[in-house]
Structures are given as structure tokens and as C-alpha cells.
Amino acid sequence: LSRIYSVIVHWTWGYGWLSGGTDYQINPTGFMDFAGSGIVHMTGGVGALIGAVVVGPRSGRFNSDENFEPHSLPLIVLGTFILWFGLYGFNC
């Protein structure tokens, strides 16, 4: 993934064909990205999707007759609040 990421970053940030300008442009404005989040998350998401398709579903996942119940509701709520707090801490 790091080799693919470096090529995609060059296309957008390194005066590549998506960067805009006068040379090798796709349009006059080019690719607009806020702090690099589009490139980072799109590359990671596509890589994760390809990995999930290659690996496939767990064997026996759809053959079970028992119902799935959460293990610990307080830990689920605590984890949700930790993620929520981290999201606000990162973005504020």
C-alpha cells in the first residue's frame, strides 16, 4: 500500500496530472483537497476494500443458528464515548 500511496500522492500533490496548473492538467483548478484527508482516506479505504474482497467472509459465519448478543453493554458505551471524545479532541 505504501508504494501505491506514493504514486497517488504524486498525482495530486507533486505536480501530477490531477494537480492542476498549466502542465498535465485535468482541469484548470485541479484536485482540491482539505489538508490531505481525501487522498489519505480514499487510498486507505480502497486498499481495505480490496483486502476484504481478497480475504472474503469468515468460514461458517452465515451457518450459525444462535443469536449474537453483545458481550458487555457498559464497555460498548465506554468505547463509543472514547471514540467520540477522541474525534472532538482531534478536530477542535
Side-chain angles (χ1 to χ4, degrees):
L1 190 60
S2 64
R3 294 176 195 257
I4 295 170
Y5 178 73
S6 61
V7 171
I8 294 172
V9 165
H10 177 71
W11 286 348
T12 56
W13 296 336
Y15 306 107
W17 64 279
L18 289 175
S19 65
T22 57
D23 297 332
Y24 307 109
Q25 64 182 358
I26 192 168
N27 61 24
T29 305
F31 179 77
M32 302 296 286
D33 193 8
F34 177 72
S37 62
I39 298 298
V40 171
H41 290 98
M42 182 61 75
T43 305
V46 170
L49 178 65
I50 291 171
V53 168
V54 168
V55 171
R58 296 186 310 261
S59 59
R61 176 176 179 226
F62 300 109
N63 298 335
S64 178
D65 292 333
E66 60 187 64
N67 292 331
F68 177 78
E69 295 182 19
H71 298 286
S72 174
L73 193 57
L75 287 179
I76 293 171
V77 172
L78 177 66
T80 302
F81 280 123
I82 289 172
L83 286 171
W84 180 66
F85 181 74
L87 175 73
Y88 278 113
F90 181 73
N91 290 317
C92 292

